[in-house]
Amino acid sequence: MARSSTGRACGKVILLGEHAVVYGVPALAVGIDRGAEAVATPVEPGLPSELRLGEGVRAAAGSDSDVGHAFSALLEALDVRDPVHVAATTDLPAAAGLGCSAALGVAIARALRGISGTAPLAPAAIAARALAWERVFHGNPSGVDTTVAAHGGCLLYTRTDAGPVFEPVPLGAPLTLAVGHTGEPSATRVMVDAVARLRERKPDIVAKSFDGIAALVKNARLAVEAGDVVGLGRLLDLGQMLLSGLMLSTEKIETMCRVAREAGALGAKLTGAGGGGCVLALVEDDASGVLEAWSAAGFRGFATVVNPGAVVVNPGGAS
Ligand code: MEV
């Protein structure tokens, strides 16, 4: 019987462009050093294929739950026909805007591909397969989460009718980020639907916001390349204003952004779908002041540094 195979993927933080990316505006996102790992093991013929997520969730392929449906979709996308058991873990908070489900989807896809005996798939091809998993949870994902989960580094990502287009963005300087959790869940599907409804009701206002976000992304890319973290911080603050205008912010998000800025952050905004979830704060080079200020205000967070030359976790896909 074939041996087990391990797949890994990273979580992500969207610097700028969330929501607008669903409608074809580019987004700027970075992979972070937290993520997901999955181990796939072939089992006896006749046994059901099963996925275990952490210690809690267990779902057989085809069982009537989101995880069961997503697992089946992934098995189909990777053409896995023989029974397999997969155990996956993640150190990303779920429903927090950090790409937890995408990282799990990519890690599981890599592990499944690893037991197939065929060559590892390139990151873009793995991301495309993992989208089948992501669609079950998020309905209409832009694909930015799975793409960054598979590639890592800093990417400019655009959804087009012909498929995803993305390019690595070289960093002129490390990006030191404090990432904090509001303690409120963020449901991507619900928030994407809310923006879709707002767009139906107020198309002009939403179009103007998306134009503004597109301009911020363009400038943020230049700032990232130039290592201009002060300029990037200002753009993050402007991004937060536009996202608030789209009704994606909450009182806790606003509090966390304010506390971070008062503690010396260069800029702060929600990241991901909003309505809860995480806030990111860009700092010069030491996130501890922001993390302490958040902690004093009752919020938990962690620091992550994106370094120039940061590369994909486990590029080949399986081990
Ligand atoms: C979620 O991480 C980012 C959103 O833009 C949704 C998507 O891109 O699929 C809100």
Side-chain angles (χ1 to χ4, degrees), residues 12 14 18-19 21-22 141-142 144-145 188 192 272-273:
K12 67 99 197 21
I14 297 182
E18 51 272 271
H19 285 286
V21 68
V22 173
S142 67
V144 64
D145 290 12
T188 302
V192 168

Side-chain angles (χ1 to χ4, degrees), residues 5-307:
S5 165
T6 303
R8 298 185 187 87
C10 59
K12 67 99 197 21
V13 166
I14 297 182
L15 295 176
L16 282 161
E18 51 272 271
H19 285 286
V21 68
V22 173
Y23 299 92
V25 171
L28 193 61
V30 292
I32 60 173
D33 51 9
R34 292 184 174 216
E37 182 173 295
V39 179
T41 310
V43 294
E44 299 296 328
L47 287 174
S49 287
E50 191 180 82
L51 171 63
R52 193 151 41 88
L53 287 183
E55 293 306 316
V57 180
R58 253 185 140 95
S63 60
D64 195 14
S65 65
D66 275 1
V67 177
H69 292 307
F71 185 41
S72 296
L74 209 42
L75 292 171
E76 200 176 315
L78 285 145
D79 202 22
V80 176
R81 291 171 193 281
D82 296 329
V84 59
H85 279 187
V86 179
T89 54
T90 176
D91 56 0
L92 294 163
L98 302 183
C100 178
S101 68
L104 282 167
V106 168
I108 296 167
R110 283 188 162 138
L112 290 172
R113 179 71 179 186
I115 54 166
S116 70
T118 49
L121 287 171
I126 277 290
R129 306 296 193 283
L131 212 48
W133 157 282
E134 195 68 343
R135 274 195 199 103
V136 174
F137 297 108
H138 296 323
N140 179 24
S142 67
V144 64
D145 290 12
T146 44
T147 298
V148 179
H151 286 82
C154 181
L155 296 182
L156 186 74
Y157 176 93
T158 313
R159 176 189 220 180
T160 76
D161 289 342
V165 175
F166 55 92
E167 50 183 307
V169 177
L171 267 60
L175 298 178
T176 306
L177 303 170
V179 180
H181 202 312
T182 56
E184 305 163 324
S186 161
T188 302
R189 181 194 286 270
V190 173
M191 301 315 290
V192 168
D193 285 353
V195 172
R197 282 199 306 276
L198 185 65
R199 193 164 167 260
E200 273 167 27
R201 284 202 320 274
K202 303 188 171 172
D204 294 350
I205 291 180
V206 173
K208 279 201 183 101
S209 296
F210 285 178
D211 286 349
I213 290 172
L216 294 181
V217 170
K218 208 166 170 181
N219 284 304
R221 183 225 178 119
L222 298 175
V224 164
E225 286 180 345
D228 175 10
V229 287
V230 173
L232 180 61
R234 285 197 198 107
L235 296 168
L236 298 184
D237 284 345
L238 293 172
Q240 173 60 21
M241 278 172 55
L242 290 176
L243 292 169
S244 302
L246 292 172
M247 323 289 273
L248 295 165
S249 195
T250 65
E251 234 173 89
K252 285 189 177 169
I253 291 172
E254 294 299 328
T255 301
M256 290 186 79
C257 290
R258 179 181 48 76
V259 168
R261 289 178 198 124
E262 285 169 5
L266 302 169
K269 64 180 273 295
L270 69 85
T271 186
C278 282
V279 164
L280 79 88
L282 177 70
V283 297
E284 194 88 53
D285 55 10
D286 179 5
S288 58
V290 170
L291 293 176
E292 278 161 25
W294 276 343
S295 172
F299 301 108
R300 295 232 296 256
F302 62 91
T304 187
V305 180
V306 188
N307 282 303

